[in-house]
mmCIF file of all heavy atoms in Angstrom:
data_model
loop_
_atom_site.group_PDB
_atom_site.id
_atom_site.type_symbol
_atom_site.label_atom_id
_atom_site.label_comp_id
_atom_site.label_asym_id
_atom_site.label_seq_id
_atom_site.Cartn_x
_atom_site.Cartn_y
_atom_site.Cartn_z
ATOM 1 N N ALA Y 1 0.836 -1.212 0.005
ATOM 2 C CA ALA Y 1 -0.022 0.019 -0.001
ATOM 3 C C ALA Y 1 0.869 1.244 0.029
ATOM 4 O O ALA Y 1 1.824 1.335 0.719
ATOM 5 C CB ALA Y 1 -0.946 0.001 1.226
ATOM 6 N N SER Y 2 0.473 2.244 -0.779
ATOM 7 C CA SER Y 2 1.211 3.450 -0.861
ATOM 8 C C SER Y 2 0.785 4.443 0.204
ATOM 9 O O SER Y 2 0.010 5.406 -0.041
ATOM 10 C CB SER Y 2 0.975 4.106 -2.275
ATOM 11 O OG SER Y 2 1.435 3.250 -3.296
ATOM 12 N N ARG Y 3 1.217 4.209 1.423
ATOM 13 C CA ARG Y 3 0.932 5.066 2.521
ATOM 14 C C ARG Y 3 2.242 5.698 3.017
ATOM 15 O O ARG Y 3 3.317 5.094 2.854
ATOM 16 C CB ARG Y 3 0.309 4.315 3.679
ATOM 17 C CG ARG Y 3 -1.079 3.773 3.418
ATOM 18 C CD ARG Y 3 -1.705 3.203 4.704
ATOM 19 N NE ARG Y 3 -3.056 2.780 4.489
ATOM 20 C CZ ARG Y 3 -3.398 1.537 4.193
ATOM 21 N NH1 ARG Y 3 -2.498 0.600 4.024
ATOM 22 N NH2 ARG Y 3 -4.688 1.225 4.050
ATOM 23 N N PRO Y 4 2.208 6.868 3.649
ATOM 24 C CA PRO Y 4 3.429 7.429 4.219
ATOM 25 C C PRO Y 4 4.012 6.499 5.263
ATOM 26 O O PRO Y 4 3.337 5.801 5.986
ATOM 27 C CB PRO Y 4 2.915 8.720 4.885
ATOM 28 C CG PRO Y 4 1.673 9.059 4.146
ATOM 29 C CD PRO Y 4 1.017 7.748 3.825
ATOM 30 N N GLY Y 5 5.360 6.445 5.319
ATOM 31 C CA GLY Y 5 6.034 5.621 6.295
ATOM 32 C C GLY Y 5 5.943 4.154 5.992
ATOM 33 O O GLY Y 5 5.942 3.299 6.894
ATOM 34 N N ARG Y 6 5.861 3.787 4.686
ATOM 35 C CA ARG Y 6 5.844 2.388 4.320
ATOM 36 C C ARG Y 6 6.983 2.123 3.298
ATOM 37 O O ARG Y 6 7.409 2.992 2.577
ATOM 38 C CB ARG Y 6 4.524 2.036 3.602
ATOM 39 C CG ARG Y 6 3.277 2.213 4.506
ATOM 40 C CD ARG Y 6 3.320 1.260 5.677
ATOM 41 N NE ARG Y 6 2.034 1.233 6.394
ATOM 42 C CZ ARG Y 6 1.751 2.032 7.401
ATOM 43 N NH1 ARG Y 6 2.611 2.907 7.832
ATOM 44 N NH2 ARG Y 6 0.572 1.891 8.039
ATOM 45 N N ILE Y 7 7.470 0.893 3.346
ATOM 46 C CA ILE Y 7 8.527 0.482 2.425
ATOM 47 C C ILE Y 7 7.907 -0.508 1.413
ATOM 48 O O ILE Y 7 7.258 -1.456 1.791
ATOM 49 C CB ILE Y 7 9.666 -0.245 3.167
ATOM 50 C CG1 ILE Y 7 10.296 0.682 4.225
ATOM 51 C CG2 ILE Y 7 10.767 -0.685 2.165
ATOM 52 C CD1 ILE Y 7 11.311 -0.049 5.108
ATOM 53 N N ASN Y 8 8.125 -0.228 0.148
ATOM 54 C CA ASN Y 8 7.725 -1.176 -0.925
ATOM 55 C C ASN Y 8 8.566 -0.861 -2.195
ATOM 56 O O ASN Y 8 9.269 0.131 -2.238
ATOM 57 C CB ASN Y 8 6.224 -1.099 -1.198
ATOM 58 C CG ASN Y 8 5.746 0.325 -1.444
ATOM 59 O OD1 ASN Y 8 6.312 1.015 -2.318
ATOM 60 N ND2 ASN Y 8 4.752 0.766 -0.716
ATOM 61 N N ILE Y 9 8.467 -1.709 -3.131
ATOM 62 C CA ILE Y 9 9.304 -1.576 -4.341
ATOM 63 C C ILE Y 9 8.950 -0.274 -5.071
ATOM 64 O O ILE Y 9 9.813 0.366 -5.665
ATOM 65 C CB ILE Y 9 9.182 -2.785 -5.249
ATOM 66 C CG1 ILE Y 9 10.227 -2.725 -6.365
ATOM 67 C CG2 ILE Y 9 7.797 -2.942 -5.790
ATOM 68 C CD1 ILE Y 9 11.632 -2.763 -5.903
ATOM 69 N N GLN Y 10 7.706 0.126 -5.071
ATOM 70 C CA GLN Y 10 7.260 1.337 -5.744
ATOM 71 C C GLN Y 10 7.919 2.584 -5.194
ATOM 72 O O GLN Y 10 8.358 3.467 -5.906
ATOM 73 C CB GLN Y 10 5.766 1.467 -5.702
ATOM 74 C CG GLN Y 10 5.209 2.680 -6.460
ATOM 75 C CD GLN Y 10 3.690 2.777 -6.421
ATOM 76 O OE1 GLN Y 10 3.029 1.881 -5.920
ATOM 77 N NE2 GLN Y 10 3.136 3.864 -6.920
ATOM 78 N N SER Y 11 7.960 2.674 -3.869
ATOM 79 C CA SER Y 11 8.590 3.845 -3.240
ATOM 80 C C SER Y 11 10.095 3.798 -3.163
ATOM 81 O O SER Y 11 10.773 4.824 -3.237
ATOM 82 C CB SER Y 11 8.006 4.059 -1.809
ATOM 83 O OG SER Y 11 8.351 2.933 -0.981
ATOM 84 N N ALA Y 12 10.628 2.583 -3.032
ATOM 85 C CA ALA Y 12 12.079 2.425 -2.822
ATOM 86 C C ALA Y 12 12.875 2.463 -4.162
ATOM 87 O O ALA Y 12 13.967 2.976 -4.192
ATOM 88 C CB ALA Y 12 12.407 1.096 -2.102
ATOM 89 N N ALA Y 13 12.298 1.947 -5.230
ATOM 90 C CA ALA Y 13 13.011 1.822 -6.493
ATOM 91 C C ALA Y 13 13.562 3.145 -7.046
ATOM 92 O O ALA Y 13 14.744 3.226 -7.429
ATOM 93 C CB ALA Y 13 12.144 1.121 -7.558
ATOM 94 N N PRO Y 14 12.755 4.230 -7.047
ATOM 95 C CA PRO Y 14 13.313 5.481 -7.584
ATOM 96 C C PRO Y 14 14.483 6.000 -6.780
ATOM 97 O O PRO Y 14 15.436 6.574 -7.312
ATOM 98 C CB PRO Y 14 12.091 6.441 -7.496
ATOM 99 C CG PRO Y 14 10.903 5.572 -7.455
ATOM 100 C CD PRO Y 14 11.332 4.354 -6.719
ATOM 101 N N LEU Y 15 14.421 5.866 -5.439
ATOM 102 C CA LEU Y 15 15.522 6.308 -4.542
ATOM 103 C C LEU Y 15 16.753 5.501 -4.803
ATOM 104 O O LEU Y 15 17.873 6.064 -4.915
ATOM 105 C CB LEU Y 15 15.103 6.227 -3.073
ATOM 106 C CG LEU Y 15 13.837 6.951 -2.672
ATOM 107 C CD1 LEU Y 15 13.543 6.724 -1.184
ATOM 108 C CD2 LEU Y 15 13.937 8.427 -2.949
ATOM 109 N N LEU Y 16 16.590 4.181 -4.889
ATOM 110 C CA LEU Y 16 17.764 3.321 -5.087
ATOM 111 C C LEU Y 16 18.382 3.550 -6.466
ATOM 112 O O LEU Y 16 19.603 3.581 -6.613
ATOM 113 C CB LEU Y 16 17.340 1.852 -4.944
ATOM 114 C CG LEU Y 16 16.875 1.441 -3.530
ATOM 115 C CD1 LEU Y 16 16.187 0.100 -3.555
ATOM 116 C CD2 LEU Y 16 18.063 1.406 -2.587
ATOM 117 N N LYS Y 17 17.555 3.723 -7.444
ATOM 118 C CA LYS Y 17 18.080 3.968 -8.825
ATOM 119 C C LYS Y 17 18.900 5.218 -8.866
ATOM 120 O O LYS Y 17 19.988 5.258 -9.486
ATOM 121 C CB LYS Y 17 16.899 4.065 -9.812
ATOM 122 C CG LYS Y 17 17.320 4.108 -11.256
ATOM 123 C CD LYS Y 17 16.169 4.067 -12.208
ATOM 124 C CE LYS Y 17 16.584 4.063 -13.651
ATOM 125 N NZ LYS Y 17 15.466 3.966 -14.603
ATOM 126 N N ARG Y 18 18.448 6.307 -8.223
ATOM 127 C CA ARG Y 18 19.206 7.528 -8.192
ATOM 128 C C ARG Y 18 20.516 7.367 -7.433
ATOM 129 O O ARG Y 18 21.559 7.877 -7.845
ATOM 130 C CB ARG Y 18 18.363 8.633 -7.556
ATOM 131 C CG ARG Y 18 17.295 9.228 -8.473
ATOM 132 C CD ARG Y 18 16.287 10.056 -7.696
ATOM 133 N NE ARG Y 18 16.927 11.048 -6.863
ATOM 134 C CZ ARG Y 18 16.326 11.643 -5.846
ATOM 135 N NH1 ARG Y 18 15.095 11.302 -5.514
ATOM 136 N NH2 ARG Y 18 16.979 12.571 -5.177
ATOM 137 N N ALA Y 19 20.449 6.619 -6.341
ATOM 138 C CA ALA Y 19 21.657 6.466 -5.530
ATOM 139 C C ALA Y 19 22.721 5.680 -6.269
ATOM 140 O O ALA Y 19 23.900 6.073 -6.342
ATOM 141 C CB ALA Y 19 21.295 5.729 -4.249
ATOM 142 N N PHE Y 20 22.332 4.554 -6.851
ATOM 143 C CA PHE Y 20 23.295 3.752 -7.607
ATOM 144 C C PHE Y 20 23.731 4.392 -8.921
ATOM 145 O O PHE Y 20 24.689 3.996 -9.541
ATOM 146 C CB PHE Y 20 22.722 2.341 -7.894
ATOM 147 C CG PHE Y 20 22.775 1.426 -6.693
ATOM 148 C CD1 PHE Y 20 21.700 1.361 -5.817
ATOM 149 C CD2 PHE Y 20 23.848 0.693 -6.445
ATOM 150 C CE1 PHE Y 20 21.712 0.504 -4.734
ATOM 151 C CE2 PHE Y 20 23.950 -0.167 -5.353
ATOM 152 C CZ PHE Y 20 22.840 -0.264 -4.489
ATOM 153 N N GLY Y 21 22.981 5.408 -9.374
ATOM 154 C CA GLY Y 21 23.306 6.106 -10.595
ATOM 155 C C GLY Y 21 24.400 7.137 -10.430
ATOM 156 O O GLY Y 21 24.862 7.703 -11.438
ATOM 157 N N ILE Y 22 24.855 7.416 -9.213
ATOM 158 C CA ILE Y 22 25.934 8.360 -9.013
ATOM 159 C C ILE Y 22 27.256 7.693 -9.305
ATOM 160 O O ILE Y 22 27.764 6.881 -8.514
ATOM 161 C CB ILE Y 22 25.911 8.915 -7.548
ATOM 162 C CG1 ILE Y 22 24.569 9.660 -7.288
ATOM 163 C CG2 ILE Y 22 27.086 9.839 -7.313
ATOM 164 C CD1 ILE Y 22 24.419 10.147 -5.899
ATOM 165 N N LYS Y 23 27.801 7.981 -10.472
ATOM 166 C CA LYS Y 23 28.955 7.241 -11.010
ATOM 167 C C LYS Y 23 30.178 7.231 -10.131
ATOM 168 O O LYS Y 23 30.829 6.222 -10.001
ATOM 169 C CB LYS Y 23 29.266 7.735 -12.410
ATOM 170 C CG LYS Y 23 28.156 7.522 -13.446
ATOM 171 C CD LYS Y 23 28.583 8.013 -14.816
ATOM 172 C CE LYS Y 23 27.509 7.714 -15.817
ATOM 173 N NZ LYS Y 23 27.862 8.177 -17.192
ATOM 174 N N ARG Y 24 30.486 8.362 -9.533
ATOM 175 C CA ARG Y 24 31.755 8.413 -8.828
ATOM 176 C C ARG Y 24 31.677 7.892 -7.406
ATOM 177 O O ARG Y 24 32.675 7.952 -6.668
ATOM 178 C CB ARG Y 24 32.341 9.846 -8.827
ATOM 179 C CG ARG Y 24 31.501 10.884 -8.130
ATOM 180 C CD ARG Y 24 32.031 12.299 -8.501
ATOM 181 N NE ARG Y 24 31.357 13.339 -7.769
ATOM 182 C CZ ARG Y 24 31.863 13.985 -6.727
ATOM 183 N NH1 ARG Y 24 33.084 13.604 -6.279
ATOM 184 N NH2 ARG Y 24 31.220 14.932 -6.143
ATOM 185 N N ALA Y 25 30.512 7.415 -7.014
ATOM 186 C CA ALA Y 25 30.348 6.839 -5.651
ATOM 187 C C ALA Y 25 30.786 5.397 -5.653
ATOM 188 O O ALA Y 25 30.241 4.597 -6.406
ATOM 189 C CB ALA Y 25 28.893 6.987 -5.180
ATOM 190 N N PRO Y 26 31.755 5.023 -4.798
ATOM 191 C CA PRO Y 26 32.226 3.654 -4.764
ATOM 192 C C PRO Y 26 31.271 2.699 -4.038
ATOM 193 O O PRO Y 26 31.372 1.491 -4.161
ATOM 194 C CB PRO Y 26 33.553 3.704 -4.059
ATOM 195 C CG PRO Y 26 33.366 4.889 -3.134
ATOM 196 C CD PRO Y 26 32.526 5.890 -3.888
ATOM 197 N N ALA Y 27 30.358 3.292 -3.261
ATOM 198 C CA ALA Y 27 29.441 2.464 -2.455
ATOM 199 C C ALA Y 27 28.142 3.227 -2.268
ATOM 200 O O ALA Y 27 28.050 4.438 -2.474
ATOM 201 C CB ALA Y 27 30.067 2.137 -1.081
ATOM 202 N N VAL Y 28 27.098 2.510 -1.826
ATOM 203 C CA VAL Y 28 25.820 3.073 -1.480
ATOM 204 C C VAL Y 28 25.513 2.683 -0.056
ATOM 205 O O VAL Y 28 25.653 1.488 0.285
ATOM 206 C CB VAL Y 28 24.728 2.628 -2.432
ATOM 207 C CG1 VAL Y 28 23.339 3.104 -1.931
ATOM 208 C CG2 VAL Y 28 24.954 3.189 -3.827
ATOM 209 N N ALA Y 29 25.150 3.627 0.796
ATOM 210 C CA ALA Y 29 24.738 3.345 2.152
ATOM 211 C C ALA Y 29 23.224 3.297 2.254
ATOM 212 O O ALA Y 29 22.551 4.176 1.739
ATOM 213 C CB ALA Y 29 25.301 4.411 3.126
ATOM 214 N N ILE Y 30 22.725 2.229 2.841
ATOM 215 C CA ILE Y 30 21.266 2.095 3.018
ATOM 216 C C ILE Y 30 20.959 1.981 4.522
ATOM 217 O O ILE Y 30 21.506 1.110 5.193
ATOM 218 C CB ILE Y 30 20.736 0.872 2.290
ATOM 219 C CG1 ILE Y 30 21.013 0.987 0.775
ATOM 220 C CG2 ILE Y 30 19.278 0.677 2.545
ATOM 221 C CD1 ILE Y 30 20.621 -0.219 -0.063
ATOM 222 N N ILE Y 31 20.119 2.883 5.016
ATOM 223 C CA ILE Y 31 19.688 2.848 6.421
ATOM 224 C C ILE Y 31 18.360 2.066 6.469
ATOM 225 O O ILE Y 31 17.409 2.358 5.734
ATOM 226 C CB ILE Y 31 19.493 4.246 6.951
ATOM 227 C CG1 ILE Y 31 20.765 5.061 6.868
ATOM 228 C CG2 ILE Y 31 18.960 4.186 8.396
ATOM 229 C CD1 ILE Y 31 20.586 6.509 7.218
ATOM 230 N N ILE Y 32 18.323 1.076 7.331
ATOM 231 C CA ILE Y 32 17.109 0.243 7.482
ATOM 232 C C ILE Y 32 16.581 0.458 8.922
ATOM 233 O O ILE Y 32 17.269 0.401 9.903
ATOM 234 C CB ILE Y 32 17.416 -1.244 7.329
ATOM 235 C CG1 ILE Y 32 17.844 -1.572 5.839
ATOM 236 C CG2 ILE Y 32 16.240 -2.091 7.671
ATOM 237 C CD1 ILE Y 32 16.741 -1.511 4.860
ATOM 238 N N ASN Y 33 15.268 0.675 8.960
ATOM 239 C CA ASN Y 33 14.572 0.770 10.242
ATOM 240 C C ASN Y 33 13.170 0.219 10.001
ATOM 241 O O ASN Y 33 12.261 0.957 9.633
ATOM 242 C CB ASN Y 33 14.542 2.221 10.757
ATOM 243 C CG ASN Y 33 14.185 2.267 12.232
ATOM 244 O OD1 ASN Y 33 14.407 1.313 12.950
ATOM 245 N ND2 ASN Y 33 13.623 3.361 12.676
ATOM 246 N N SER Y 34 12.972 -1.090 10.196
ATOM 247 C CA SER Y 34 11.708 -1.727 9.857
ATOM 248 C C SER Y 34 11.459 -2.941 10.740
ATOM 249 O O SER Y 34 12.350 -3.785 10.906
ATOM 250 C CB SER Y 34 11.663 -2.102 8.403
ATOM 251 O OG SER Y 34 10.480 -2.827 8.106
ATOM 252 N N PRO Y 35 10.204 -3.102 11.198
ATOM 253 C CA PRO Y 35 9.852 -4.300 11.967
ATOM 254 C C PRO Y 35 9.397 -5.436 11.050
ATOM 255 O O PRO Y 35 9.068 -6.525 11.567
ATOM 256 C CB PRO Y 35 8.694 -3.819 12.849
ATOM 257 C CG PRO Y 35 7.982 -2.814 11.962
ATOM 258 C CD PRO Y 35 9.105 -2.143 11.199
ATOM 259 N N GLY Y 36 9.388 -5.211 9.750
ATOM 260 C CA GLY Y 36 8.989 -6.253 8.792
ATOM 261 C C GLY Y 36 7.704 -5.945 8.092
ATOM 262 O O GLY Y 36 7.219 -4.792 8.071
#
């Protein structure tokens, strides 16, 4: 469900794509805070 404060592929994919798209970055840091 697309609600605020939720994790799903629809909300996460655009953020992850932008992060991994930064060419000169050797790594990507991902902060996780979720009960499942």
